[in-house]
Amino acid sequence: QVQLVESGGGLVQPGASLRLSCAASGRTFSSYAMGWFRQAPGKEREFVAAISWNSIYTDYTGSVQGRFTISRDNAKNALYLQMDSLRPEDTAIYYCAVSTRVGPYAVKYLTNIDYWGLGTQVTVSS
């Protein structure tokens, strides 16, 4: 059974940092692009960051560019999201995602996602 389990969320003050992790089991994802999405209350789920299977290509939504860093460790079948300079508008449930489609940026699109994690809550508030 394939599972993606996120961890590392929490309640932090504006300007703080968090590092999210996603541990995959049941299947090796080292050949596929992976990414992070988020969903705030009352809003649609949105793309946050993507990384190609070999970590050569990364992409970010504009609002997190320069503050968030996506990375992966294929040996551990794991995905990470380093979040710095957090803002209240970053508050959301963050989801790990995998796309088995060809291409480093296929994982940016909701309709291309084949596997989702259960999510981890990130709350940024003073």
Side-chain angles (χ1 to χ4, degrees):
Q1 182 179 356
V2 175
Q3 278 192 318
L4 298 173
V5 180
E6 301 91 338
S7 62
L11 171 62
V12 296
Q13 293 187 339
S17 297
L18 280 175
R19 187 179 191 233
L20 304 184
S21 298
C22 172
S25 61
R27 179 175 180 174
T28 298
F29 292 113
S30 58
S31 299
Y32 303 116
M34 300 182 73
W36 290 96
F37 286 73
R38 66 186 180 187
Q39 187 165 17
K43 295 188 177 181
E44 295 184 351
R45 191 171 299 190
E46 64 173 359
F47 165 74
V48 175
I51 188 166
S52 60
W53 69 272
N54 55 6
S55 300
I56 291 179
Y57 299 101
T58 59
D59 196 14
Y60 301 89
T61 192
S63 62
V64 309
Q65 184 79 41
R67 299 188 298 122
F68 290 12
T69 303
I70 189 171
S71 61
R72 64 190 295 167
D73 185 336
N74 286 339
K76 296 182 178 179
N77 217 19
L79 178 71
Y80 307 100
L81 186 68
Q82 177 67 39
M83 305 187 295
D84 298 319
S85 302
L86 282 162
R87 304 168 180 171
E89 53 264 39
D90 295 318
T91 295
I93 299 174
Y94 283 71
Y95 298 91
C96 173
V98 177
S99 174
T100 61
R101 273 53 165 183
V102 175
Y105 301 123
V107 73
K108 293 175 60 175
Y109 305 99
L110 285 167
T111 54
N112 288 342
I113 302 303
D114 298 295
Y115 300 98
W116 288 102
L118 295 178
T120 185
Q121 177 70 49
V122 172
T123 303
V124 185
S125 176
S126 56

